[in-house]
Amino acid sequence: MTPKAIIFDVDGTLADTEEQHRRAFNGAFSRHGFDWQWSTDDYKELLTITGGKERIEYFIRSLNLCSSREIECLSDVIPLHKTKTTLYSHSISSGELRLRSGVNRIILEALEHGVRLGIATTTSLTNVEVLLTSTLGKDSLRWFDSIVAGDMVPNKKPSPDVYHQVLKQLNLPARECVAFEDSRNGLLSANQAGIPCIVTPCQWTEDHEFTEACLLLPQLGDVENPLSAYENFSFSQPWLSIDDLARAHRRAA
Ligand code: XBP
Ligand code: MG
């Protein structure tokens, strides 16, 4: 049956945002007088640490600084992350980034079919708000019955905390929902919460392990970016429609 709700991850799933995050981290380091600059290779490694503040702290501890310097740098994590979030918000509100293919389409299809919407993300709430308003318009925040972000739960992905909180706010059982994710941490988080998960990897996560996904697709697809047929799933259209989603969900249940 059609899932009662679709719960979206944000970074990498709604949009391919991590390059904008990486540049914002590097901009914050410069503004705070640090000569740190995360290359794309550095960042691909660091992305396994979920949460920007946790990522900066992990990086500082990896520098093997003397304890006094390490303590001094760690005291800067919160202000650094605040600057980073401001820089990231500016870059996203410029409208330079679009949603991944098929995301806008399936959100509108879900609304038309009475399928509820939720967001379960590790990123900061302001980042969710600026991405949704700059890509879907300011009313779009109201389309989501639950938005749970970053520090709103004790533990970040792969902990299931964020998905548990969304399920609580939606007042729905896990098996009646479906999650969309891009990373292994996100897949593990959704699955530990008992939610079947469809994965659309992005450039930063394409080499992750996704065996537990109920469906693995390169993207959700739309008219401009049709999906080719997939060996283990036949589509009614060359994209994942709500009807296809219901079939994939039944298979997973
Ligand atoms: C991805 C993350 C976030 C972002 C950075 O979140 O792990 O930490 O990389 O955002 P998700 P912050 O895939 O769960 O949406 O600096 O705000 O944490
Ligand atoms: Mg993600």
Side-chain angles (χ1 to χ4, degrees), residues 16-34:
D16 198 349
T17 54
E18 291 296 353
E19 178 56 15
Q20 281 74 12
H21 280 298
R22 182 183 75 88
R23 292 179 188 176
F25 281 110
N26 287 339
F29 297 148
S30 307
R31 281 163 177 69
H32 285 253
F34 295 103

Side-chain angles (χ1 to χ4, degrees), residues 62-99:
S62 73
L63 297 174
N64 296 319
L65 301 167
C66 69
S67 60
S68 58
R69 177 64 180 149
E70 182 172 282
I71 291 165
E72 193 186 351
C73 291
L74 289 173
S75 67
D76 257 335
V77 169
I78 303 287
L80 264 170
H81 192 252
K82 277 198 172 64
T83 304
K84 177 265 172 181
T85 301
T86 302
L87 293 173
Y88 175 79
S89 291
H90 287 164
S91 76
I92 297 297
S93 53
S94 71
E96 68 184 45
L97 199 66
R98 295 184 58 193
L99 295 177

Side-chain angles (χ1 to χ4, degrees), residues 20-72:
Q20 281 74 12
H21 280 298
R22 182 183 75 88
R23 292 179 188 176
F25 281 110
N26 287 339
F29 297 148
S30 307
R31 281 163 177 69
H32 285 253
F34 295 103
D35 63 357
W36 310 329
Q37 288 294 291
W38 289 347
S39 69
T40 49
D41 286 347
D42 295 335
Y43 196 59
K44 188 162 183 172
E45 285 300 308
L46 287 163
L47 266 176
T48 53
I49 310 295
T50 53
K53 292 190 287 298
E54 295 79 356
R55 199 168 296 149
I56 298 171
E57 181 179 341
Y58 173 87
F59 169 74
I60 290 169
R61 294 188 188 284
S62 73
L63 297 174
N64 296 319
L65 301 167
C66 69
S67 60
S68 58
R69 177 64 180 149
E70 182 172 282
I71 291 165
E72 193 186 351

Side-chain angles (χ1 to χ4, degrees), residues 28-237:
F29 297 148
S30 307
R31 281 163 177 69
H32 285 253
F34 295 103
D35 63 357
W36 310 329
Q37 288 294 291
W38 289 347
S39 69
T40 49
D41 286 347
D42 295 335
Y43 196 59
K44 188 162 183 172
E45 285 300 308
L46 287 163
L47 266 176
T48 53
I49 310 295
T50 53
K53 292 190 287 298
E54 295 79 356
R55 199 168 296 149
I56 298 171
E57 181 179 341
Y58 173 87
F59 169 74
I60 290 169
R61 294 188 188 284
S62 73
L63 297 174
N64 296 319
L65 301 167
C66 69
S67 60
S68 58
R69 177 64 180 149
E70 182 172 282
I71 291 165
E72 193 186 351
C73 291
L74 289 173
S75 67
D76 257 335
V77 169
I78 303 287
L80 264 170
H81 192 252
K82 277 198 172 64
T83 304
K84 177 265 172 181
T85 301
T86 302
L87 293 173
Y88 175 79
S89 291
H90 287 164
S91 76
I92 297 297
S93 53
S94 71
E96 68 184 45
L97 199 66
R98 295 184 58 193
L99 295 177
R100 289 189 63 185
S101 83
V103 169
N104 190 345
R105 173 189 57 74
I106 204 150
I107 286 176
L108 296 179
E109 272 191 45
L111 293 170
E112 280 159 24
H113 287 74
V115 175
R116 299 170 67 193
L117 299 173
I119 281 185
T121 178
T122 304
T123 196
S124 310
L125 184 59
T126 51
N127 295 345
V128 183
E129 292 164 342
V130 71
L131 180 67
L132 290 177
T133 48
S134 61
T135 55
L136 293 170
K138 63 181 178 6
D139 292 345
S140 63
L141 290 175
R142 288 206 301 266
W143 300 351
F144 296 82
D145 290 342
S146 165
I147 297 180
V148 181
D151 298 335
M152 293 164 65
V153 289
N155 307 294
K156 292 187 167 69
K157 299 172 185 176
S159 153
D161 287 7
V162 65
Y163 279 103
H164 282 150
Q165 186 60 16
V166 171
L167 290 173
K168 191 173 164 196
Q169 290 184 2
L170 292 174
N171 192 24
L172 286 174
R175 302 309 293 179
E176 294 188 16
C177 301
V178 65
F180 284 166
E181 274 284 353
D182 72 299
S183 70
R184 179 154 185 78
N185 278 330
L187 169 61
L188 293 175
S189 177
N191 277 180
Q192 284 181 74
I195 304 171
C197 184
I198 293 176
V199 174
T200 51
C202 68
Q203 57 177 314
W204 302 91
T205 62
E206 59 197 6
D207 55 355
H208 289 195
E209 183 63 52
F210 295 119
T211 35
E212 303 87 342
C214 71
L215 193 55
L216 179 60
L217 299 171
Q219 39 144 351
L220 296 179
D222 53 27
V223 177
E224 294 84 33
N225 303 278
L227 279 172
S228 54
Y230 257 67
E231 61 283 352
N232 63 345
F233 196 82
S234 58
F235 294 97
S236 47
Q237 313 259 15

